[in-house]
Amino acid sequence: MTTQNAINWPEKYQPGTRDNFVSNEVIVQGLTAAQVWRYLVDTSTWESYYDNVADISFPQGDGPGLKTDTLFSFGTFGFPPLDAYVVEFQDPAQDVPGRLSWTAKQDGTPEEQLDVLHAWLVEDLSGGRVRILTQETQIGRPAAALAEERPNPMLNGHQAWLDGLVRAASGKATR
């Protein structure tokens, strides 16, 4: 039996302890972690396969590739651009999953404040398969409102991101 890896969660963002949490996962045959990783860490490709992201920018001139300590901003789920910071970055390698996590924040009034940790894990599995796991914890009133919506926009939005990422890595037409 193969043991699958898990997201590394800082205590502040532990799933189930905050206002909103979603988890999405796909396991696909015929792709490698390296193929998927390329499209995940290169933000210049995101809008080609995921329609819930816009206005990606790098205020310190980094990018479009993500790496540890990268500052960037992007709009998603109808929020104004969120200020994001890469807190974990590990390229995938043999027997080592790719790990990417960023915090994203929106300041303002208590009704507007949002604090997020969005984490990704991309790992090769036996049988020529790849596992892509994305999880997000959100803190704030906007997060609590999203958690109450049905259908759940976060769950559906992240599934669209996973599906688009798989299509892009497979070389299939996007959006």
Side-chain angles (χ1 to χ4, degrees):
M1 179 176 185
T2 302
T3 301
Q4 295 178 345
N5 290 284
I7 301 293
N8 297 325
W9 286 103
E11 188 171 334
K12 175 182 178 181
Y13 298 102
Q14 283 293 315
T17 66
R18 298 302 175 191
D19 297 308
N20 195 10
F21 171 76
V22 296
S23 179
N24 296 71
E25 176 181 42
V26 294
I27 297 176
V28 180
Q29 193 165 34
L31 284 176
T32 66
Q35 288 172 297
V36 171
W37 193 251
R38 174 181 160 227
Y39 289 93
L40 178 59
V41 300
D42 181 357
T43 63
S44 71
T45 67
W46 288 4
E47 290 183 63
S48 73
Y49 66 83
Y50 182 50
D51 64 5
N52 191 26
V53 67
D55 303 319
I56 301 167
S57 66
F58 292 84
Q60 295 185 334
D62 295 332
L66 299 178
K67 61 187 185 307
T68 302
D69 298 329
T70 300
L71 291 169
F72 67 109
S73 69
F74 65 101
T76 188
F77 291 101
F79 295 114
L82 302 169
D83 295 323
Y85 178 73
V86 176
V87 294
E88 183 179 30
F89 186 95
Q90 169 67 55
D91 287 317
Q94 185 171 343
D95 299 323
V96 176
R99 292 182 179 276
L100 173 64
S101 296
W102 61 75
T103 58
K105 297 183 182 198
Q106 175 178 283
D107 292 324
T109 68
E111 290 76 27
E112 299 168 325
Q113 291 174 0
L114 184 65
D115 185 358
V116 169
L117 182 85
H118 192 155
W120 296 83
L121 190 140
V122 181
E123 66 181 324
D124 289 314
L125 302 176
S126 63
R129 300 172 301 145
V130 66
R131 174 183 179 229
I132 311 165
L133 172 66
T134 187
Q135 296 180 331
E136 183 169 325
T137 294
Q138 298 181 333
I139 304 166
R141 290 183 187 168
L146 273 178
E148 295 297 319
E149 288 186 41
R150 296 294 177 265
N152 186 311
M154 286 273 298
L155 191 64
N156 291 338
H158 286 176
Q159 190 62 47
W161 200 339
L162 286 173
D163 294 345
L165 183 57
V166 167
R167 279 193 308 275
S170 299
K172 298 179 180 169
T174 57
R175 297 197 299 178

